[in-house]
């Protein structure tokens, strides 16, 4: 039988706010245990939550970025359960009426674009952490993370393969970082995915019984965990068994999922509206202010790079993989010494060739960054410095090959491309007189080859190009040299 | 000057005139408490050195001319308010070792006003009770009759005020917990509009109903204390930002033309004859003061008790989840695993009434029952609120008994929770609607136990309610009467 995989993802994104969702304590990662737990976070008797406006604004920003409905009025509810890292004995979350409804994230998989529909996104608080090591048989509770704002983003069961789920997760990861609501750090738990996985015979309408897989803290693990789970479910059914609805944990070391708790153990969370918090009311003006401040989104930007700048889909995709990279690219195009095609309305103005910029960004610069394990925002060459170099390629002052030498000098020592070109004497020889002199001498010294060429052996042309380049110290403008050689060698 | 029987206004004047120091005043109350409270059990915690240090600080302020209406006047606080460095038990074994590390907003307000904290008063455990018999620290006795309950849950505050062990006391009122004990102890008590007083630092029972308020001998005293107590606090999202108001400003307005709404449901068979007689006499007095009677109906009154006993336990079951023995408070001595730690700590730390309400609340929020109980109760709550809004189109104030009977005997209703719950039948709907309510003494019923008249106003009408109560107290002297015990 042929099986179809059905996947839905729930992603907990930690929102990038200075303070917690309901208290004034800092959200910074890595402090001493419980150093960032306020009276509210440890749930002393009598304390009350107060909504963090910035967290709401992040939720609005996300809603707008995915084309969702931002609820004018949403409700906070209490999810009741006992656990030592949940100090109040309930988590404040949103249940019946979330802040963001619907929306979609576009993903491209093997060149095919698809839209993954979102069900909802809701605000909630994170729990603390239970530490079971180093306490001599006791457990430690660290409440620094308790109350960190989360936006839980839930998809429809819209994905049909592990690869597609990963493509969605990557697109979402890029988006939440792009709009500045999440730092995306998966190691620190800022972006955590759970996958709901089921299988069904291809063509069947009803969904199969699903399992929720937790602990997918990298894209690689997500793919492997889903693939394992799909194999497990298919094998189980084919052997005559049935899938039991349960929560399973992915064990990366053994590359398998194993049961954590079954549906029978599922707790009754006794959700009810939190009487300590008034309904969250978001007026239209607020939404519009957030919309106005929203940056151009990656999909739109990639579109523009293709249609306006003529980049390939591939290059446009690579450049918009992160906002800092895209910003670097745009800064590169905005060389003040030239016009700018990206924003310029003057068709006569000079501009840097976007393709040239894209090649250098994805090539030389990316390699250098990778070599030193730097993010583009910490590049040792600024967009201004690099554009100063690219201008000299474009205007023929130096060849692409020479430019790599200049790039290395810029990377190691800093400075300006023009100064390096002058200091090292790398300027391309574009003076017809000088080039003619070189060519004349070659013709005089290589009569045999000249004769061969003139008798129709075109291949010999390459010999002259090589010799002329060598004679010029590699600085001859190749196009001009070509022209002069052709003219002078003509029979 | 008999300090214990002097109004707040007179005490403030004496302090300003420096014929009395805050230390002398605080000491005199501490002496009275030491002498009389062993009979009453109205205080859980006293800390004389701390109180006197605060009194000395107040005397310094007075010497510097930095004086407000409550500067130097010690006030007792219900043990539900967290006060930095003070044991704050909420009447429970669960918090019998809990020293609060911060001040409630209410406590901050009194600190800022220069009012020394006189002590923490006894209360029903987690404010759950109508007789002060559920306190882990033992029942409080009614100063008018030591065999009688003082009412609850602010029973310690009410008894302390009635015995003149404090000039005034704070309380909280979730279903009548200020008005009912005020009534049973023959004093005045006000529960302001929900949202007037910050709940920050006030240990939550039922968040959507809890409201801090004041108990004192007279309406004028209530107004003075309320002036200090209310105030916007951004740490409580349900606290309302209102322009500052002086609740004493309108006390002297005449009542001519006042329309008093009398809900027929508040004058039913359920009210005992002695209470009905005292209420009728009070209404006649109001007529002499120029008021007129309007018959009204609050048809959903009978539903208020069942609605309350769904919603309040629902919220309480969640609010009390934090008392798990992990971070603070009582922890069972012997336990196996984590679940055992929770179960034993909570089984040993909570009393039976608290457990009853946690169980009820957990039940009504459970899958399959939520709609039938919690949601339905919320709908009826809306109807109760609408009843009041309808009524206030026809009258300026609603009056009736604060409690259907005078104080009952200690132990009389402890075995019958339903009978106990019904003693709040006239006060509960005010909390469900979020309205302000006030109780004043209007005479005595059976066994010479006090009767209280309840005044219910529209939202934010505290000043008017206090004016209506004050005018009555200008014409009568029930509020000035104190039990024999207090005169000793």
């Amino acid at each position: 039988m042929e099986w179809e995989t059905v996947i839905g993802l729930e992603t907990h994104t930690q929102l990038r706010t200075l303070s917690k969702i309901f208290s004034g304590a800092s959200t910074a990662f890595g402090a001493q245990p419980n150093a960032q737990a306020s009276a509210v976070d440890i749930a002393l008797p009598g304390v009350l939550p107060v909504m963090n406006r910035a967290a709401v604004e992040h939720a609005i920003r996300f809603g707008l970025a995915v084309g969702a409905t931002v609820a004018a009025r949403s409700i906070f509810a209490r999810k009741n359960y006992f656990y030592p890292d949940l100090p109040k004995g309930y988590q404040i979350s949103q249940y019946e009426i979330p802040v963001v409804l619907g929306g979609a994230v576009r993903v491209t998989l093997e060149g095919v674009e698809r839209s993954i529909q979102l069900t909802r996104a809701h605000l909630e608080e994170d729990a603390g952490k239970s530490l079971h090591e180093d306490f001599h048989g006791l457990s430690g509770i660290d409440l620094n993370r308790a109350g960190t704002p989360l936006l839980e983003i839930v998809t429809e069961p819209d994905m049909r393969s592990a690869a597609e789920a990963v493509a969605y997760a990557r697109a979402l990861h890029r988006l939440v970082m792009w709009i500045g609501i999440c730092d995306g750090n998966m190691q620190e738990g800022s972006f955590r995915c759970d996958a709901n996985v089921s299988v069904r015979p291809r063509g069947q309408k009803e969904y199969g019984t699903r399992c929720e897989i937790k602990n997918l803290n990298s894209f690689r693990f997500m793919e492997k965990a889903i693939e394992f789970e799909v194999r497990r479910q298919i094998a189980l059914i084919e052997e005559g068994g049935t899938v039991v609805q349960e929560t399973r944990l992915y064990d990366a070391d053994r590359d398998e999922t194993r049961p954590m708790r079954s549906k029978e153990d599922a707790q009754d969370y006794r959700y009810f509206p939190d009487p300590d918090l008034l309904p969250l009311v978001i007026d239209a003006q607020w939404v519009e202010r957030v919309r106005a401040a929203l940056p151009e989104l990656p999909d739109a930007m990639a579109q523009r790079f293709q249609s306006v700048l003529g980049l390939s889909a591939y290059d446009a995709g690579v450049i918009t993989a992160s906002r800092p990279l895209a910003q670097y690219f745009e800064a590169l195009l905005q060389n003040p010494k030239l016009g700018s095609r990206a924003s310029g309305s003057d068709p006569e103005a000079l501009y840097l060739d976007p393709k040239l910029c894209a090649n250098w960004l994805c090539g030389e610069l990316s390699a250098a960054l990778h070599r030193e394990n730097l993010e583009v925002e910490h590049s040792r060459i600024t967009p201004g410095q690099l554009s100063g170099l690219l201008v000299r390629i474009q205007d023929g002052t130096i060849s692409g090959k020479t430019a790599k030498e200049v790039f290395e000098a810029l990377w190691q020592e800093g400075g300006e491309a023009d100064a390096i070109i002058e200091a090292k004497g790398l300027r391309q020889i574009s003076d017809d007189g000088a080039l003619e002199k070189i060519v004349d001498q070659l013709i005089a010294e290589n009569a045999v080859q000249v004769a061969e060429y003139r008798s129709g052996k075109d291949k010999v042309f390459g010999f002259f190009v090589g010799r002329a380049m060598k004679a010029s110290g590699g600085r001859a403008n190749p196009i001009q040299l070509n022209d002069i050689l052709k003219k002078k060698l003509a029979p | 000057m008999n300090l214990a029987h002097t109004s707040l206004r007179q005490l403030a004047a004496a302090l300003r005139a420096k014929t009395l120091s805050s230390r002398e005043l605080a000491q005199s109350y501490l002496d009275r408490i030491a002498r009389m409270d062993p009979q009453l059990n109205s205080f859980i915690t006293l800390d004389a050195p701390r109180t006197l240090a605060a009194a000395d600080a107040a005397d310094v302020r007075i010497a510097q001319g930095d004086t407000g209406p409550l500067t130097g006047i010690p006030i007792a606080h219900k043990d539900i308010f967290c006060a930095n460095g003070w044991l704050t038990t909420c009447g429970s074994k669960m918090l019998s070792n809990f020293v609060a590390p911060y001040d409630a907003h209410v406590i901050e307000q009194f600190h800022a006003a220069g009012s020394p904290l006189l002590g923490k008063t006894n209360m029903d455990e987690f404010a759950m009770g109508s007789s002060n018999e559920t306190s882990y620290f033992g029942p409080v006795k009614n100063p008018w009759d030591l065999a009688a309950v003082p009412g609850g849950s602010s029973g310690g505050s009410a008894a302390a005020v009635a015995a003149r062990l404090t000039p005034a006391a704070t309380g909280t009122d979730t279903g009548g917990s200020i008005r009912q004990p005020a009534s049973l102890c023959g004093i005045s008590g006000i529960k302001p509009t929900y949202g007037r007083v910050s709940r920050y630092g006030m240990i939550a029972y039922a968040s959507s109903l809890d409201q801090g308020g004041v108990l004192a001998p007279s309406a004028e005293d209530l107004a003075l204390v309320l002036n200090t107590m209310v105030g916007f606090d951004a740490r409580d999202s349900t606290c309302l930002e209102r322009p500052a108001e002086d609740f004493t400003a309108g006390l002297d307005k005449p009542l001519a033309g006042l329309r008093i709404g009398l809900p027929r449901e508040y004058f039913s068979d359920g009210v005992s004859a002695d209470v009905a007689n005292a209420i009728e006499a009070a209404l006649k007095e109001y007529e002499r003061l120029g008021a007129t009677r309007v018959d009204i109906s609050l048809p959903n009154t009978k539903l208020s008790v069942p609605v309350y006993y769904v919603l309040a336990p629902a919220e309480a079951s969640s609010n009390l989840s934090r008392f798990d023995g992990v971070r603070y408070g009582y922890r069972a001595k012997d336990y196996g695993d984590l679940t055992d730690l929770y179960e034993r700590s909570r089984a040993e730390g909570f009393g039976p009434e608290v457990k009853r309400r946690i169980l009820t609340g957990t039940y009504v929020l459970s899958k399959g029952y939520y709609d039938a109980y919690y949601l339905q109760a919320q709908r009826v709550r809306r109807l109760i609120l609408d009843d009041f809004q309808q009524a206030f189109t026809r009258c300026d104030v609603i009056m009736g008994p604060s409690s259907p009977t005078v104080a009952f005997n200690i132990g009389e209703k402890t075995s019958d929770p339903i009978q106990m719950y019904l003693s709040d039948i006239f006060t509960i709907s005010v909390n469900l609607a979020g309205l302000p309510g006030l109780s004043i003494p209007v005479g005595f019923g059976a066994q010479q136990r006090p009767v209280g008249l309840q005044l219910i106003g529209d939202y934010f009408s505290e000043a008017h309610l206090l004016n209506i109560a004050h005018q009555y107290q200008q014409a009568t002297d029930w509020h000035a009467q104190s039990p024999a015990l207090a005169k000793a």
Side-chain angles (χ1 to χ4, degrees), chain A residues 42-50 78 80 82-84 87-90 143 268 270-273 275-278, chain B residues 82 98 101-102 199-201 207 234-238 318-319 321-322 327-328 338 342 362 365-367 370 374:
Chain A
I42 64 178
L44 285 182
V47 296
L48 297 168
V50 177
R78 293 184 182 178
N80 294 284
F82 284 97
Y83 205 70
K88 293 189 294 296
Y90 57 84
L143 297 176
D268 179 355
R270 290 171 283 118
Y271 281 100
F272 76 105
D276 288 332
L277 290 162
L278 301 172
Chain B
C82 286
F98 178 70
Y102 76 103
R199 293 186 295 114
Y200 186 80
S207 313
R235 294 167 301 183
D236 173 3
S237 305
T238 62
S318 177
N319 282 334
S321 292
R322 68 187 58 195
R327 298 170 313 289
Y328 52 76
L338 176 65
Y342 286 151
T362 302
L365 289 176
S366 296
K367 213 168 232 154
Y370 180 84
Y374 184 84

Side-chain angles (χ1 to χ4, degrees), chain A residues 207-411:
Chain A
Y207 293 124
T209 304
R210 69 174 190 273
C211 290
E212 184 179 2
I213 313 172
K214 290 196 174 285
N215 201 26
L216 308 175
N217 49 21
S218 79
F219 295 125
R220 199 166 65 89
F221 289 160
M222 177 189 292
E223 187 153 14
K224 292 175 74 128
I226 294 172
E227 280 169 352
F228 172 87
E229 180 61 17
V230 168
R231 283 196 305 274
R232 186 189 73 85
Q233 291 186 13
I234 292 172
L236 187 63
I237 299 168
E238 287 183 341
E239 285 162 16
T242 48
V243 176
V244 181
Q245 188 177 333
E246 62 188 358
T247 303
R248 299 176 69 89
L249 202 67
Y250 178 65
D251 181 340
D253 294 333
R254 303 168 68 175
D255 186 26
E256 61 176 30
T257 66
R258 56 168 184 269
M260 201 167 121
R261 55 173 180 260
S262 75
K263 194 192 176 192
E264 281 67 42
D265 302 333
Q267 302 193 43
D268 179 355
Y269 290 120
R270 290 171 283 118
Y271 281 100
F272 76 105
D274 190 336
D276 288 332
L277 290 162
L278 301 172
L280 174 60
V281 174
I282 298 172
D283 63 33
Q285 287 91 334
W286 191 6
V287 175
E288 287 319 305
R289 278 199 305 278
V290 175
R291 195 194 301 279
L294 205 62
E296 184 181 18
L297 297 175
D299 288 341
M301 191 180 269
Q303 251 332 299
R304 176 167 62 81
F305 286 171
Q306 292 173 62
S307 60
V308 179
L309 303 182
L311 296 191
S312 69
Y314 178 81
D315 281 349
V318 170
I319 291 168
T320 55
S322 85
R323 191 157 165 223
L325 194 64
Q327 283 170 330
Y328 194 103
F329 176 70
E330 295 227 275
L332 209 48
L333 292 175
Q334 309 281 333
N335 188 326
K337 292 176 193 162
L338 304 168
S340 160
R341 186 184 248 197
S343 63
S345 47
D346 179 3
E348 298 299 310
L350 280 169
Y351 56 86
L352 264 181
D353 178 8
K355 183 71 192 165
L356 178 72
C357 292
N359 288 343
W360 275 78
L361 194 55
C362 302
E364 217 63 22
L365 184 71
S366 288
L369 291 168
H370 189 73
R371 200 169 60 221
E372 299 196 12
N373 202 15
L374 289 175
E375 296 297 327
V376 69
E377 51 269 49
H378 303 120
S379 166
R380 293 168 65 170
I381 296 181
T382 66
Q385 284 175 303
L386 185 56
S387 70
L389 172 60
L390 301 189
V391 167
R392 293 303 162 233
I393 300 172
Q394 191 166 305
D395 69 9
T397 306
I398 54 172
S399 67
K401 193 159 165 271
T402 307
K404 292 183 181 177
E405 196 182 333
V406 180
F407 180 90
E408 268 316 301
L410 279 173
W411 185 268

